[in-house]
Amino acid sequence: MGNARERKTVRLKTPVTDADLATLELGDVVYLDGLIYTAREGVYKKVLENGEAPPAPFAEIGNVNFHCSPAAAQQEDGSLKVSAVTATASFRFSKWMKDWFAASGAKLIVGKGGMSEEDYRTLFVPAGAVYLTTVGYGTGALLGRGIKNVRAAHWLDELGIAQAMWVLEVEKFGPLLVESDLAGNSLFERNNREINAGIEKLYEGLKKPSLQRYGETDDREQELI
Amino acid sequence: MIAKEAVEQAAYEIMFKAGIDIPDDYLAGIKKMASAEDGDLSAFVLEAMLENYEAAKEDRRPMCADTGVPRYYVKAGNEAKLEGGFIALEEALRSATARATHDIPLRPNRVHPLWRTDHNNNVGINAPEIEYSFEPDADWVDITTVHKGGLFGTDYRMLFPGDGIDGIKRFFLDGMIAFGKRGLACQPAIVGVGLGGSKDTCMVLGKQAACLRTVGDRNPDPKIAELELELQELGNSIGMGAMGFVGKSMVVDCHIEVGYTHTGGMPMSLHAFCLSSRRATVRLHADGRAEFRTDPNWFTPYMRRETVSWEMPASAKRSA
């Protein structure tokens, strides 16, 4: 079954080093071992906009920021159970990334959908950071399997399960795909360029709609993000 | 008499089944797409997904962490008797949702739209939604739940009669291309199309078409069935596969449902279900048996009934 070519597979130990990142090429498959943490709107706002101190020093929790909210529940004994995890769409965090890289020293962003090539060039390249995308995006069970332990869930009461800062101990956490490299190239945009080349043809012979609405576009190459 | 407790227990169990076990018809559809896919990244994604379904089943954990916004479809036989009536049924479904959210666990996705308050149990104002339909000559009640994820992969457009089939194809392409990039619609997926009705029924029909029909099932109207296959092929010819990578795995199946509409318009809605197509059904029989199925069997001939038997007055016949 399938015609998936053998892809280069890399296992990275966190915190990741600059040398690790330099080996990553677009489309490589990555698995992570070590500590990763989640940070999204709630955490970014607290740290970057309200100036609150991060709940744990980044030297302790590493440099891998996962854009995620887990399917999790607090158990009766107070422990936290994470069953499945998948990422949340990353493009909406662009506006915080410059400051976040400066504040946290993050080198790997793991999420859904990636950001634009322009974001990689202007935000990621200066920070020496790389973006990994989750696969599917529904590989929640495989990613859940890679979580060996919940080290902490900071700001759980204030931010709730979805927005809290989860610190997760992971082993063979993946599969993830390298979406951007250190030069700021994007795997998605490379694919989009190829797909866009054939789009006009699909509309050939279909008559124009009776009503074109405000905000609609004839440029089918435009991306949602 | 169907006991309230039986309703709650059965609803609780289908929340697990829907979240964890991929329905057979959908799994077969994905396997078929994976074997035909020649885009290497797209094929890689499909293989990872197949592995993920296995992991979910083995570990009894959800296939995807976005376990959607819980919702129930209730089909009540006209002869069914429910202990406590429909109020008790709704109470049972709400508490089953909260229990399942904690025990599976599901992601507590439901928050107030403005205050973002979160009860951490997926129950709130108008949540979970419960939709009803009825079936003649039956004494059972069917309960179906779907965990349809996320924010992408749904759209609506008011087309006009003159737009015709071209307009339908154009909007279908517009939607698939826009949502498919970067895999934001989590394709390949069952795509449901609602045609007609008023705006709200159009959205309801399209979502039901995506969530409540099985792969390979065709609309009983042969012309609509043909259009379903045409749209499926069109979607798979965009050049985009799983996760928006180059490929051809976009649409596992396309289902169209129609409703009579305003004479001046042709509303259309578009709904992509997830790559982890998540649905489960239980039929509660009058004798207390709970029969679990993966086919919601929602669109019965009664649901699609055409008109009413009615004797036209003689005066109207003359002018016709």
Side-chain angles (χ1 to χ4, degrees):
Chain A
M1 176 206 67
N3 302 296
R5 271 206 302 273
E6 219 26 60
R7 314 200 71 78
K8 190 174 105 202
T9 300
V10 185
R11 269 182 92 151
L12 293 182
K13 200 166 161 31
T14 71
V16 293
T17 66
D18 293 343
D20 291 336
L21 300 184
T23 66
L24 299 181
E25 294 175 281
L26 297 190
D28 287 352
V29 182
V30 177
Y31 290 88
L32 299 174
D33 299 284
L35 284 184
I36 64 174
Y37 64 83
T38 71
R40 48 183 293 172
E41 293 96 334
V43 171
Y44 291 157
K45 276 187 187 161
K46 279 171 97 64
V47 174
L48 301 175
E49 292 175 17
N50 306 348
E52 295 182 43
F58 290 102
E60 276 174 26
I61 60 174
N63 57 10
V64 182
N65 176 186
F66 185 20
H67 287 155
C68 158
S69 55
Q74 193 141 22
Q75 305 300 289
E76 268 140 44
D77 64 0
S79 68
L80 295 156
K81 175 181 166 190
V82 175
S83 59
V85 284
T86 39
T88 193
S90 293
F91 59 85
R92 63 185 197 267
F93 305 127
S94 296
K95 61 178 176 182
W96 284 298
M97 292 320 295
K98 182 170 181 276
D99 292 339
W100 184 252
F101 285 132
S104 71
K107 290 285 181 188
L108 258 190
I109 303 294
V110 181
K112 170 175 177 172
M115 299 188 190
S116 67
E117 221 155 53
E118 196 191 333
D119 284 340
Y120 294 136
R121 300 240 151 95
T122 56
L123 305 170
F124 280 62
V125 171
V130 156
Y131 187 96
L132 304 179
T133 177
T134 51
V135 171
Y137 294 99
T139 48
L142 287 177
L143 294 176
R145 231 178 214 189
I147 297 176
K148 291 298 151 195
N149 186 32
V150 178
R151 179 69 68 90
H154 299 291
W155 290 326
L156 191 61
D157 290 342
E158 278 168 84
L159 296 176
I161 285 172
Q163 296 276 341
M165 188 179 201
W166 294 77
V167 183
L168 307 169
E169 218 174 288
V170 301
E171 190 182 302
K172 203 177 179 235
F173 181 79
L176 308 166
L177 282 170
V178 176
E179 140 70 359
S180 80
D181 57 17
L182 280 175
N185 298 302
S186 156
L187 181 66
F188 282 124
E189 291 205 19
R190 200 167 74 179
N191 274 260
N192 282 350
R193 281 191 282 273
E194 198 176 321
I195 293 159
N196 287 342
I199 283 179
E200 281 310 311
K201 225 174 43 241
L202 296 166
Y203 287 85
E204 267 173 23
L206 296 179
K207 65 176 181 287
K208 286 274 189 187
S210 344
L211 181 66
Q212 187 103 352
R213 282 154 208 78
Y214 179 73
E216 281 184 13
T217 174
D218 276 335
D219 181 1
R220 306 294 161 198
E221 297 184 2
Q222 270 198 350
E223 253 202 275
L224 189 69
I225 69 165
Chain B
M1 179 76 80
I2 298 167
K4 182 184 175 188
E5 202 179 310
V7 171
E8 183 172 334
Q9 185 56 28
Y12 175 79
E13 285 178 37
I14 57 172
M15 293 291 268
F16 278 79
K17 288 181 193 296
I20 295 170
D21 296 308
I22 193 87
D24 288 341
D25 60 290
Y26 191 70
L27 181 62
I30 291 283
K31 281 186 174 162
K32 200 170 148 196
M33 299 214 90
S35 64
E37 182 54 82
D38 47 23
D40 68 312
L41 278 162
S42 193
F44 169 81
V45 174
L46 291 173
E47 285 182 17
M49 286 309 304
L50 288 168
E51 209 184 312
N52 184 64
Y53 299 142
E54 285 300 311
K57 196 164 72 177
E58 274 171 37
D59 298 2
R60 306 309 298 160
R61 63 171 95 227
M63 291 182 270
C64 176
D66 186 349
T67 48
V69 280
R71 146 192 302 261
Y72 295 97
Y73 295 90
V74 174
K75 171 169 283 190
N78 196 40
E79 315 304 324
K81 303 260 183 304
L82 276 163
E83 182 198 354
F86 282 92
I87 300 293
L89 173 99
E90 295 195 343
E91 276 171 12
L93 296 183
R94 285 170 84 86
S95 54
T97 303
R99 277 175 55 211
T101 298
H102 178 270
D103 291 355
I104 299 177
L106 301 176
R107 191 201 282 164
N109 269 335
R110 294 279 199 178
V111 298
H112 190 286
L114 288 170
W115 327 131
R116 314 309 285 184
T117 39
D118 181 352
H119 301 300
N120 273 338
N121 62 14
N122 280 317
V123 181
I125 301 169
N126 280 314
E129 293 92 343
I130 303 171
E131 283 182 45
Y132 294 96
S133 78
F134 304 97
E135 194 63 22
D137 308 317
D139 61 359
W140 40 254
V141 172
D142 274 356
I143 304 171
T144 297
T145 192
V146 294
H147 302 318
K148 182 181 183 297
L151 307 172
F152 300 100
T154 300
D155 205 354
Y156 166 88
R157 195 173 290 176
M158 175 56 85
L159 300 171
F160 298 94
D163 289 329
I165 301 290
D166 273 7
I168 292 170
K169 288 183 179 167
R170 183 174 274 276
F171 179 43
F172 184 83
L173 280 172
D174 289 353
M176 290 291 111
I177 292 166
F179 290 135
K181 285 190 178 167
R182 294 170 191 259
L184 289 173
C186 297
Q187 70 272 16
I190 301 177
V191 179
V193 173
L195 277 181
S198 47
K199 185 172 186 173
D200 55 349
T201 41
C202 182
M203 291 297 283
V204 166
L205 283 171
K207 182 155 182 172
Q208 291 182 354
C211 298
L212 301 177
R213 283 178 52 189
T214 56
V215 173
D217 169 39
R218 296 271 68 85
N219 190 291
D221 182 320
K223 284 191 184 131
I224 295 175
E226 199 182 315
L227 185 58
E228 290 177 339
L229 293 172
E230 250 184 275
L231 292 182
Q232 184 188 351
E233 202 187 310
L234 191 61
N236 290 331
S237 69
I238 292 170
M240 202 190 292
M243 256 179 108
F245 293 130
V246 172
K248 54 189 181 189
S249 312
M250 193 76 182
V251 184
V252 180
D253 205 348
C254 177
H255 299 309
I256 302 173
E257 289 299 324
V258 301
Y260 273 46
T261 190
H262 190 287
T263 183
M266 186 173 67
M268 170 168 169
S269 72
L270 198 55
H271 303 254
F273 205 171
C274 321
L275 217 167
S276 293
S277 193
R278 295 165 291 180
R279 59 175 142 76
T281 298
V282 61
R283 175 164 295 179
L284 292 166
H285 292 277
D287 62 8
R289 266 181 314 125
E291 180 198 339
F292 293 97
R293 301 201 317 265
T294 53
D295 181 359
N297 197 25
W298 181 259
F299 290 103
T300 57
Y302 180 75
M303 275 290 280
R304 293 175 174 132
R305 59 202 186 279
E306 170 75 21
T307 184
V308 64
S309 40
W310 173 70
E311 190 60 40
M312 191 184 282
S315 56
K317 275 181 190 160
R318 270 202 302 276
S319 65

